[in-house]
Amino acid sequence: MAKRATLADFREHLNSIYPNLFDMLAKDKDRFSFRVNLLKATLLEVLDSLKSDGFEVKETIYEDVFTLPISDRKSLPKAKVYTEHKVYIQSLSSIFAARCLEVGKSDWVLDLAAAPGGKSLIFAQVANKVSAVEPDKSRFFSMKRNFKKMGVYHILKAFLVYR
């Protein structure tokens, strides 16, 4: 009979794939994360704009994900890159969860209880198709607005399912 994996086993395995991930997630409570919307901008364009606006961006384990001091949390939504939907504020843990699935170009992703749509937006940058399902009516329409703003409405299929 196979040995049942423990939480320690999982943590060890995850650390072998993403060294220092747990340290990074634990220590950066004084920072928040955001992703660059590669459908609307390049990394260089966003980083140059943020730098010229006085933001001090820090890299993460992902090429298109960065952090800023928590004190900038109210300032970023006023920046041009945010108002033009070139960045999307999202927690590192949500980004990590979506990226762990290693979705590819030929994949069709079904995202259940998908609102506000952040993970679906990640999938839309790489997958062939994304179907996002949200049972809550107000959250569904909020999710659809996010898809449109971020420029992926032509890729995603969003469904409202009544309970």
Side-chain angles (χ1 to χ4, degrees):
M1 185 174 193
K3 176 188 168 201
R4 184 179 168 125
T6 65
L7 184 57
D9 295 331
F10 174 71
R11 187 179 179 110
E12 183 180 329
H13 178 69
L14 215 49
N15 202 44
S16 72
I17 300 168
Y18 298 101
N20 304 319
L21 173 71
F22 292 102
D23 293 337
M24 181 184 67
L25 291 174
K27 76 177 180 181
D28 280 340
K29 299 294 182 192
D30 59 335
R31 302 184 71 79
F32 71 97
S33 55
F34 66 93
R35 290 184 299 101
V36 174
N37 180 0
L38 298 173
L39 298 173
K40 287 198 168 195
T42 66
L43 293 175
L44 187 60
E45 176 187 355
V46 168
L47 293 175
D48 284 349
S49 180
L50 289 171
K51 186 176 179 180
S52 71
D53 287 347
F55 290 100
E56 294 182 27
V57 176
K58 184 177 171 185
E59 295 178 347
T60 68
I61 60 173
Y62 300 111
E63 180 181 272
D64 61 335
V65 179
F66 302 90
T67 66
L68 286 169
I70 201 73
S71 57
D72 287 336
R73 181 62 179 86
K74 290 184 179 177
S75 303
L76 183 61
K78 298 173 187 168
K80 186 176 180 181
V81 294
Y82 186 89
T83 60
E84 293 179 349
H85 313 293
K86 294 178 180 176
V87 299
Y88 186 84
I89 296 172
Q90 189 170 24
S91 71
L92 278 174
S93 57
S94 290
I95 295 166
F96 178 75
R99 296 276 172 89
C100 278
L101 295 176
E102 297 180 352
V103 172
K105 291 185 190 304
S106 63
D107 291 329
W108 182 353
V109 178
L110 174 61
D111 188 357
L112 301 173
K119 292 180 197 81
S120 290
L121 292 169
I122 290 173
F123 301 142
Q125 290 186 17
V126 292
N128 180 41
K129 286 185 187 178
V130 177
S131 295
V133 179
E134 175 54 49
D136 182 278
K137 189 175 181 179
S138 64
R139 289 175 53 84
F140 170 79
F141 287 107
S142 174
M143 177 181 71
K144 285 207 48 152
R145 278 191 303 278
N146 277 340
F147 294 162
K148 187 172 182 177
K149 285 190 250 181
M150 300 306 281
V152 295
Y153 55 90
H154 62 286
I155 298 171
L156 291 164
K157 302 293 181 211
F159 302 96
L160 175 62
V161 177
Y162 290 100
R163 294 182 200 200

